Amino acid sequence: VIITERKVYLRNDRYCYGTIFFCYAVGECIVKIRFLCYNKLNDKNLAEGIKVIIEFKYSVVQDLMYHILAHMKVDNASNLYSETYIDNVNKIKNGRYDSITDVVSPLSNYYNENFERLGVINFLPLVCSSVQDLIGAIENYYGFTETDKKEFIFPLIQLLKSEFEFYEGYWNELYATTSICRKAFESWIKNEMSKYETLFSYFNKSAVVGMSYSLTNNGRGFGDTSSFNAVVPFAFDESEYKNIFYQILHEYTHQFTDKLIGESIRMDDGTHDISEKAVILFDYYLVKKLYKEDTDSYLKWIGSLANADNCDENLFLSVFKINDDINEKLLELVEKITRR
């Protein structure tokens, strides 16, 4: 499985006529990839009665990878390491299963040193329906060197196999016990997303929201020709809803503002920092243009990420500066989108 193949498979798999209607072609694994191979295929909730088409998805396969990455210290913005998460998991294991900290730790240095090649493991699970599919995708991914395989990939595969014995039951219990939380969270997101209908209309795309029980920090985003896609942490409490929504919007925005940067986005050359500033500024402009009353909550979310409790507009604009050419493109795009 190669991620770039997904664009070919999905190009014509969806159309709308009158009311919301989906067509899924059968063959060439289109159905499997269309659903991102999520474990709970029958739980693809579609928001009805609003103009934005939204799908919510949950995956034990993707969460298994983020569960492992939550034990690994990473020296860039993709870091998911969380001692709180690790402590909670170890309490649940209660000695019946081994902690994986000592197994993951030796892999961290190699992962950090070779992140530009290995970082794709954050996304390969999104097109896999089972651990075996994931292992196959990792084994056959074209971008890994022989040294990568020896030093990192093969140990990772063994870890995925062994840890799944614990994680499958842990994840299924979480999924079962969060039924009421899921419905409340999804309902809130549907309503909030509908406020930004003009964004989805402009790009002629639907919204796919992957909820993760083990994604401890930030989100993951990826696009295709028919939808914006993001995976974000699941919100267990209503107080987290607004921030998670802004994280979803952030991941969606990357899927069109990164193109304005005009460069290959990398962690090691500064272009990722530029792309982050572009996204943060665009969303600020968009929120302020459409719902000025939400500007403060957006700035509060940005402040929480930067450990700045009192992030006002002056401080925000002094920190998130970008060159005039890119900034002008962001402002022009906001005008085009909101003019509709």
Side-chain angles (χ1 to χ4, degrees):
V1 177
I2 300 174
I3 286 179
T4 52
E5 291 180 339
R6 185 170 177 267
K7 292 183 178 180
V8 177
Y9 289 140
L10 296 182
R11 185 163 295 159
N12 298 308
D13 73 326
R14 170 185 289 171
Y15 63 89
C16 296
Y17 182 79
T19 55
I20 297 173
F21 179 76
F22 290 85
C23 176
Y24 300 109
V26 178
E28 296 186 78
C29 295
I30 293 178
V31 173
K32 186 172 74 169
I33 298 178
R34 175 66 194 89
F35 283 105
L36 304 183
C37 305
Y38 274 60
N39 179 274
K40 301 290 183 179
L41 296 186
N42 294 325
D43 195 58
K44 60 173 191 63
N45 301 298
L46 304 181
E48 298 179 358
I50 59 176
K51 294 182 180 179
V52 182
I53 301 174
I54 307 171
E55 293 182 65
F56 296 97
K57 299 181 176 181
Y58 300 81
S59 167
V60 65
V61 178
Q62 75 174 22
D63 281 1
L64 173 64
M65 182 66 79
Y66 299 143
H67 164 75
I68 289 173
L69 289 173
H71 291 72
M72 185 181 296
K73 293 182 179 180
V74 180
D75 301 329
N76 60 51
S78 74
N79 182 47
L80 299 179
Y81 180 81
S82 170
E83 291 186 2
T84 301
Y85 179 88
I86 294 171
D87 289 344
N88 183 58
V89 167
N90 286 338
K91 286 178 183 177
I92 293 170
K93 286 185 173 181
N94 195 28
R96 292 175 296 149
Y97 298 91
D98 292 335
S99 171
I100 63 172
T101 304
D102 291 341
V103 180
V104 172
S105 183
L107 301 178
S108 297
N109 286 340
Y110 191 87
Y111 183 71
N112 279 291
E113 292 169 0
N114 300 278
F115 178 83
E116 297 301 334
R117 289 193 310 277
L118 301 176
V120 71
I121 66 171
N122 286 270
F123 301 95
L124 290 178
L126 305 179
V127 293
C128 299
S129 63
S130 67
V131 174
Q132 285 305 313
D133 283 347
L134 176 57
I135 290 171
I138 294 172
E139 286 178 333
N140 294 293
Y141 181 69
Y142 66 93
F144 300 140
T145 66
E146 290 303 313
T147 304
D148 290 341
K149 293 176 182 179
K150 178 182 178 182
E151 299 295 329
F152 183 82
I153 296 303
F154 293 152
L156 174 65
I157 288 173
Q158 289 304 119
L159 184 56
L160 288 167
K161 290 178 180 178
S162 60
E163 186 63 3
F164 190 61
E165 294 181 14
F166 156 76
Y167 191 76
E168 183 181 28
Y170 168 72
W171 189 94
N172 283 330
E173 184 173 353
L174 268 177
Y175 186 84
T177 56
T178 55
S179 175
I180 295 176
C181 292
R182 290 200 313 273
K183 291 177 181 177
F185 187 24
E186 290 169 9
S187 177
W188 190 94
I189 290 293
K190 291 173 188 177
N191 290 331
E192 195 72 6
M193 200 82 75
S194 67
K195 292 164 55 177
Y196 291 81
E197 185 273 335
T198 185
L199 175 67
F200 299 92
S201 175
Y202 180 83
F203 289 102
N204 192 28
K205 289 191 174 186
S206 62
V208 179
V209 182
M211 302 293 191
S212 171
Y213 294 120
S214 292
L215 193 64
T216 58
N217 185 39
N218 297 328
R220 301 293 185 263
F222 56 99
D224 60 45
T225 57
S226 62
S227 61
F228 292 118
N229 298 263
V231 181
V232 293
F234 181 78
F236 290 91
D237 188 87
E238 188 175 351
S239 63
E240 302 171 332
Y241 287 2
K242 198 75 173 183
N243 286 356
I244 295 297
F245 171 77
Y246 288 138
Q247 185 69 61
I248 295 169
L249 183 63
H250 181 96
E251 301 304 337
Y252 289 172
T253 301
H254 265 296
Q255 294 162 45
F256 53 86
T257 58
D258 280 359
K259 298 174 184 177
L260 300 179
I261 306 301
E263 303 176 60
S264 176
I265 308 300
R266 296 174 60 91
M267 291 284 189
D268 60 1
D269 63 1
T271 51
H272 180 265
D273 290 339
I274 297 173
S275 74
E276 285 296 324
K277 288 183 178 180
V279 169
I280 290 169
L281 279 169
F282 178 89
D283 287 347
Y284 163 73
Y285 295 144
L286 183 67
V287 170
K288 188 172 182 179
K289 181 76 173 181
L290 290 177
Y291 299 98
K292 191 173 182 179
E293 65 273 20
D294 286 343
T295 305
D296 286 346
S297 66
Y298 178 76
L299 293 177
K300 185 177 180 180
W301 174 63
I302 294 297
S304 71
L305 301 178
N307 295 317
D309 294 333
N310 300 308
C311 183
D312 59 17
E313 290 187 86
N314 290 331
L315 176 60
F316 173 82
L317 293 173
S318 69
V319 172
F320 294 98
K321 292 181 178 179
I322 202 165
N323 75 56
D324 292 342
D325 180 56
I326 295 176
N327 193 59
E328 189 62 31
K329 290 178 180 178
L330 297 177
L331 290 168
E332 288 176 359
L333 184 55
V334 169
E335 286 300 316
K336 289 178 181 178
I337 291 171
T338 57
R339 192 183 303 141
R340 296 170 67 83

